[in-house]
Amino acid sequence: MSNSFYITTPLYYVNGEAHLGHAYTTILADVLTRYHRLFGEKNVHFLTGLDEHGQKVSRAAASENKSPQDHCDQMAVLWKEVWKNLGIQYDDFIRTTEPRHEEVVTDILNEINKNDDIYQKEYEGWYSVYEERFFTEKDLIDGKDPILGRPVEKIKENNYFFRMSKYQDWLIDHYKNNPDAVIPSFRLNEVMGFLKQPLGDLCISRPKSRLDWGIPIPWDDEYVTYVWFDALINYYTATLAPPQGKTVIWPADYHIIGKDILTTHAVYWPIMLHAADRKPPRHILAHGWWLDKDAARMSKSDGNVVNPLDLAKKYGTDEFRYYLMREMVLGQDANFSEEGLVRRINSDLANDLGNLYSRLAKLWHKFDWGRLPQKGSYEDLIDEELNERILSLESRIKEEVINFRPHAAIEEIMQVVRGLNGHVEHWEPWKFTEDTLDLAFAMMGALDALYKVAELLEPVMPVKMAELKDRIYKGNQADRTMSPQLGKPLFPRINIKR
Ligand code: MSP
């Protein structure tokens, strides 16, 4: 058993602006991190960061008359601001231009080279600057990159190659022996399908004459390291040089990625590690894409991107996080629409959850239940089936989360919330004019169950659920002295303008 639980996001290209897909990947990692902490996992470590080398960065810096490093330094501040505004709490933020990373990349290159896994040859191919990778002539579709349809440039040069092909059989065996190394399983099937073809060797250098913004190839100062080879190593770097006071142990437990970068993570990366005599990651978790409401991929060039920060500002960070986690079935694509977001907030959060709390708090004050003795267990006043669901809720949520179904975990919690609303309607406390102890206890039972709900939703909505917990027990949950605070609605209803 390892004594760290290590979760990563991809390193985002430093140039870009954070879009919905980036926000989703990072929020998902944050939510899984918080759930694992809630479930008692010790030393959970969450890494994110920036991919700062390569042609794209060097071109962007030049167009702004800045040095690439200045450009990256300025962009890094903006990225950190984005994550702060989306409620992300990472343990480490790595940038590929940091010395700690450059050192590790240099060491790994030297090790692999020593094993004779690197050689030089002339190469001709079509390069996509956008994706920072080569395609062969036959890969192209209509003369463009076959994945995203972006322009490619013909390049012929002498480069260093990594003997990936040598490790193809090892990788196939590794996946046969570890079928949960890629999740969901249909993504592993894709990888295995890809591995049926002979694997080419990987071009891992760029001549400085074409690009000098990269980590130097240690034995040849005419070259820098290919940006993907450099960036993938970040996950390992962060274990050797974590921030002070933190420990993190290789291999990573979850690399969370989008399906578009599956090959680099599930083929190149494990082979790189194996060639350097390190263990492959335990699980690669590939999520689907966010598509627009007409099912088109969201991309800047198609003009259908949405800015996650604008959405979080308009509707609330926690509400936005809730929507992303509830709406996407991990592994599948999902459609984003602002109407869908508003509908979710109004139905789940304003109507079901927010309303349950405010009606209970109002009743409490109306009947002045605070003066009554408070007892610790109210189960007999909640119907048996609902009570069962409340008692088993935490273990069922854990089951869903560790099986990568956060949307289903949320849905189970919301079913309990709806059940509790039914419980209040069953008792009809508003019809009473005088005290009955049973009534008071039945409502305390509902509030206590709502506290459990808040605890279990806190990884998804950290600020709002901490507030709800605090309102129910006013910070006194340990001695179970309830004191539900009134105040503004937790989730105001959003009026939809037509
Ligand atoms: N820099 C590389 C990763 C290097 S990791 C060693 C990269 N960066 S990226 O900024 O382009 O994308 C990062 C993540 O955003 C990927 O996981 C990608 O899948 C995700 N998304 C980009 N567009 C997306 C959607 N439309 N929907 C969901 N996620 C998608 O790739």
Side-chain angles (χ1 to χ4, degrees):
M1 268 307 273
S2 74
N3 58 354
S4 80
F5 195 87
Y6 181 24
I7 301 182
T8 71
T9 72
L11 294 190
Y12 302 103
Y13 289 127
V14 68
N15 272 354
E17 229 175 66
H19 58 63
L20 191 68
H22 298 140
Y24 174 78
T25 311
T26 315
I27 291 171
L28 175 62
D30 185 69
V31 167
L32 292 182
T33 299
R34 290 173 191 260
Y35 269 121
H36 282 277
R37 288 205 173 111
L38 183 70
F39 298 149
E41 198 86 53
K42 301 272 181 304
N43 196 16
V44 186
H45 191 85
F46 166 21
L47 172 77
T48 187
L50 295 172
D51 195 346
E52 302 192 340
H53 289 126
Q55 203 145 320
K56 245 193 303 192
V57 177
S58 119
R59 284 188 186 174
S63 76
E64 292 165 17
N65 281 326
K66 279 185 208 146
S67 74
Q69 189 66 59
D70 282 351
H71 168 74
C72 291
D73 291 348
Q74 285 161 15
M75 293 300 294
V77 174
L78 301 179
W79 278 98
K80 287 187 175 171
E81 201 52 33
V82 170
W83 300 139
K84 198 169 136 208
N85 286 321
L86 294 178
I88 304 297
Q89 263 176 7
Y90 47 76
D91 296 286
D92 192 1
F93 189 96
I94 193 166
R95 300 177 49 196
T96 53
T97 54
E98 285 177 72
R100 64 167 167 164
H101 179 63
E102 302 205 358
E103 275 167 30
V104 177
V105 173
T106 308
D107 289 350
I108 299 244
L109 277 168
N110 277 330
E111 276 182 53
I112 296 181
N113 193 33
K114 242 192 305 169
N115 295 342
D116 195 30
D117 279 342
I118 292 178
Y119 63 94
Q120 220 177 0
K121 79 165 183 200
E122 169 117 317
Y123 185 77
E124 190 177 291
W126 294 89
Y127 195 70
S128 159
V129 176
Y130 185 83
E131 288 195 71
E132 300 279 15
R133 58 168 289 193
F134 277 108
F135 293 100
T136 61
E137 180 91 39
K138 67 173 176 6
D139 288 336
L140 303 185
I141 298 179
D142 297 334
K144 299 222 165 116
D145 111 41
I147 298 177
L148 298 175
R150 305 247 170 193
V152 286
E153 340 181 331
K154 188 163 200 174
I155 284 173
K156 183 176 175 181
E157 60 196 19
N158 216 356
N159 267 314
Y160 286 100
F161 283 77
F162 167 48
R163 288 186 212 283
M164 259 192 343
S165 51
K166 182 172 147 190
Y167 297 105
Q168 178 160 5
D169 290 341
W170 167 79
L171 188 62
I172 293 171
D173 279 351
H174 167 65
Y175 285 135
K176 280 190 181 148
N177 296 331
N178 299 278
D180 61 352
V182 176
I183 296 160
S185 57
F186 62 87
R187 294 278 170 230
L188 178 63
N189 296 343
E190 266 174 37
V191 174
M192 292 304 254
F194 179 80
L195 289 171
K196 285 201 175 114
Q197 307 295 323
L199 200 55
D201 289 339
L202 181 68
C203 177
I204 58 157
S205 69
R206 299 290 179 264
K208 273 194 185 158
S209 53
R210 174 156 74 84
L211 168 74
D212 67 356
W213 185 236
I215 300 178
I217 292 283
W219 58 86
D220 188 340
D221 63 8
E222 297 287 305
Y223 289 90
V224 296
T225 311
Y226 170 45
V227 61
W228 267 103
F229 193 93
D230 153 1
L232 284 162
I233 293 174
N234 90 87
Y235 304 128
Y236 179 65
T237 301
T239 65
L240 299 185
Q244 227 191 351
K246 309 227 170 187
T247 349
V248 49
I249 291 169
W250 189 257
D253 290 279
Y254 299 137
H255 285 324
I256 297 174
I257 60 164
K259 64 179 182 181
D260 49 329
I261 53 176
L262 185 61
T263 312
T264 47
H265 282 78
V267 178
Y268 302 2
W269 178 224
I271 292 185
M272 285 164 63
L273 284 160
H274 185 66
D277 211 12
R278 308 311 196 263
K279 286 195 180 130
R282 291 209 170 86
H283 306 286
I284 295 167
L285 183 56
H287 65 70
W289 278 346
W290 279 94
L291 307 174
D292 71 9
K293 58 180 187 311
D294 306 317
R297 184 173 194 265
M298 298 172 121
S299 77
K300 219 170 182 173
S301 51
D302 293 331
N304 58 354
V305 282
V306 286
N307 182 327
L309 284 189
D310 291 347
L311 292 168
K313 205 162 163 198
K314 191 163 166 194
Y315 299 109
T317 296
D318 280 0
E319 289 85 340
F320 176 58
R321 289 167 61 107
Y322 177 87
Y323 168 79
L324 293 182
M325 291 302 111
R326 173 63 188 82
E327 210 63 25
M328 185 174 255
V329 177
L330 231 180
Q332 320 265 316
D333 292 346
N335 299 85
F336 173 84
S337 80
E338 204 165 330
E339 302 85 71
L341 168 63
V342 169
R343 231 179 295 126
R344 264 286 169 226
I345 295 174
N346 281 345
S347 67
D348 293 15
L349 300 181
N351 272 6
D352 293 345
L353 182 55
N355 227 359
L356 173 62
Y357 176 71
S358 65
R359 70 206 295 204
L360 285 168
K362 276 185 202 137
L363 286 163
W364 178 284
H365 288 278
K366 179 171 170 208
F367 292 107
D368 193 17
W369 285 326
R371 70 200 144 75
L372 298 176
Q374 307 211 0
K375 66 176 202 173
S377 158
Y378 322 93
E379 280 96 44
D380 45 341
L381 294 166
I382 295 183
D383 89 70
E384 212 174 311
E385 197 238 306
L386 177 60
N387 195 34
E388 263 311 303
R389 272 198 283 150
I390 295 167
L391 292 176
S392 62
L393 190 58
E394 181 159 349
S395 66
R396 285 182 296 125
I397 296 315
K398 192 169 171 184
E399 186 71 16
E400 298 292 12
V401 170
I402 60 177
N403 286 303
F404 313 106
R405 292 190 294 261
H407 76 286
I410 294 174
E411 181 48 27
E412 297 224 12
I413 301 171
M414 292 315 289
Q415 275 173 17
V416 165
V417 169
R418 291 191 284 271
L420 288 168
N421 271 318
H423 163 80
V424 178
E425 268 140 38
H426 168 79
W427 280 83
E428 299 185 312
W430 49 87
K431 286 196 177 155
F432 286 76
T433 50
E434 61 200 60
D435 264 357
T436 84
L437 268 187
D438 271 6
L439 180 70
F441 290 147
M443 295 307 115
M444 283 180 201
L447 269 166
D448 199 44
L450 189 53
Y451 187 90
K452 183 93 235 147
V453 162
E455 268 181 339
L456 291 174
L457 278 178
E458 207 171 357
V460 181
M461 297 188 284
V463 175
K464 284 288 170 86
M465 292 302 100
E467 183 191 333
L468 176 57
K469 278 164 58 184
D470 204 50
R471 278 213 211 175
I472 295 174
Y473 277 109
K474 216 173 138 206
N476 277 330
Q477 209 257 342
D479 65 14
R480 300 175 75 90
T481 310
M482 274 181 194
S483 162
Q485 306 295 296
L486 292 168
K488 284 210 240 85
L490 212 48
F491 298 104
R493 241 193 110 73
I494 296 158
N495 291 318
I496 308 167
K497 290 190 202 85
R498 300 216 166 255

